[in-house]
Amino acid sequence: MIVFISGGARSGKSAVAEAEVRKAAGATAPYYIATANASDAEMATRIARHRASRGLSWVTLEAPLALAPAIARVPDGGAALLDCLTLWASQVLYPQPPARPFMAEPVTPEQALADLGECLNAARRRGMTLAIVSNDLNEALLSDDAETWRYVAFLQRAHRLVARRADSVLEVAAGQPLEWKPASMRDRGDARR
């Protein structure tokens, strides 16, 4: 089962996603696929806070760019949270050391989206529950510079890919999930499921 969870900054989407994954994991260890790269003190503090709030039962896999090797480490039938597409997208478009060593060679946005699609296929094929979190950046006024629009365009392509393939699409506001893709719509998604 694939669940896409989006929302604004600090909306509670990670907490909703963590609850979904813990429930799916049952008595087995849940996996956390972290795309964050501790590039500065603020990000290191946020990573530490998130890790502490999850507790020790989670298996953390760091994947700032290369998602497939992390997905491959989750057992068949396992449950994983990929958090978050927003940071992954920024690292695809603007790779910075030390993220670069996670990829053997530079990746184009098209290659990255193809890899993301393959990760979704692998999760479904292996009977995994995969919850994917991302920020909805369209809730605020965006600056009018070309790089911002390039980034948002790439992120929205990733969002549409995941939402089309997902079994469930949730938007979180004030800690409350709103289901945008109910069960009756699940069979209308991408034919490549």
Side-chain angles (χ1 to χ4, degrees), residues 3 5 12-26 28-34 46-58 60 79-84 129-133 170 172:
V3 182
I5 302 164
K13 58 193 172 296
S14 290
V16 168
E18 288 171 13
E20 290 274 337
V21 171
R22 276 194 302 271
K23 180 179 165 187
T28 64
Y31 282 73
Y32 186 91
I33 300 170
R46 287 182 64 198
I47 290 169
R49 187 175 61 242
H50 269 265
R51 191 171 282 189
S53 74
R54 283 192 308 272
L56 299 175
S57 64
W58 289 76
T60 300
L81 167 55
L82 192 159
D83 196 357
C84 75
T129 294
L130 178 62
I132 300 173
V133 170
L170 306 173
V172 179

Side-chain angles (χ1 to χ4, degrees), residues 135-146:
N135 285 298
D136 186 352
L137 300 180
N138 289 330
E139 291 184 0
L141 293 175
L142 298 174
S143 76
D144 60 358
D145 70 271

Side-chain angles (χ1 to χ4, degrees), residues 80-122:
L81 167 55
L82 192 159
D83 196 357
C84 75
L85 276 187
T86 316
L87 291 173
W88 173 80
S90 69
Q91 293 168 152
V92 167
L93 294 179
Y94 314 106
Q96 300 287 322
R100 178 57 64 201
F102 287 89
M103 297 296 284
E105 57 189 58
V107 62
T108 68
E110 286 69 29
Q111 289 170 321
L113 291 173
D115 291 345
L116 177 60
E118 284 305 311
C119 287
L120 299 174
N121 292 341

